[in-house]
Amino acid sequence: MTKVRSWPPVTRTVVDGVELRGHTPADIEPFWQSIDDEVRYWQGYGQRNVDGYDWLLRMVARFPDQVPPFRLLAVVHDGRYAGSYSLTPSIGRRDRWDVELGWWLGPEARGQGLGTASLAAVLAHVHGDLGLPVARMGTGTDNVRAVRQIEANGAVPVGEGRHTLPNGRVVTARWYHHTAG
């Protein structure tokens, strides 16, 4: 695996009682338990998509000092695994990096305000620890929980349109940007 040029190693970030950190081998089972039918529906994942995480999670947990060209973070609340974030870099211009966020919370973590708090923690990590000026994210317009989390953290809509999920389901998606500062 190659290191992304300007990304430092994963650090522990805590905001409003929500901890973000790199995955460990102890997170593998709770990670799988966090992917239920609701996660599969909103993410558009079939079994093949879920299985693809197996290799990735095991490599990230086994070699935490090796940073692939994206970042997978564990969300922890009250000492328990709550969900996962993925950060995928892109180059908007030669002199600027930005990142696209993806996430879900497991069944026991939903409905407690952890989505908004964990997104705040990720945005603090993206803008503060990584020094990236823009975080991009999107969701289906009918995913009310995700829309509320995103908008509560100050992200602004930048577009809306049809989007095909990995399982082929087509949704109306809204894309957002959150900028540092």
Side-chain angles (χ1 to χ4, degrees), residues 16 66 85 128 149 161 165 172 174-175:
D16 293 332
Q66 298 295 311
Y85 273 82
Q149 294 165 14
L165 297 174
T172 300
R174 185 173 301 135
W175 298 98

Side-chain angles (χ1 to χ4, degrees), residues 101-116:
L101 307 178
W103 69 91
W104 66 78
L105 293 177
E108 288 126 22
R110 294 183 204 128
Q112 302 176 40
L114 297 179
T116 301

Side-chain angles (χ1 to χ4, degrees), residues 83-163:
S84 184
Y85 273 82
S86 64
L87 286 65
T88 306
S90 63
I91 301 174
R93 297 189 328 226
R94 291 181 65 168
D95 62 337
R96 265 179 60 173
W97 287 84
D98 67 3
V99 66
E100 184 168 330
L101 307 178
W103 69 91
W104 66 78
L105 293 177
E108 288 126 22
R110 294 183 204 128
Q112 302 176 40
L114 297 179
T116 301
S118 65
L119 181 55
V122 168
L123 293 170
H125 175 68
V126 165
H127 299 314
D129 300 336
L130 300 179
L132 301 175
V134 178
R136 298 179 295 119
M137 61 206 89
T139 190
T141 57
D142 60 340
N143 189 343
V144 176
R145 283 184 183 164
V147 168
R148 285 183 186 151
Q149 294 165 14
I150 293 167
E151 292 179 356
N153 275 287
V156 296
V158 295
E160 192 169 305
R162 293 170 45 92
H163 178 69

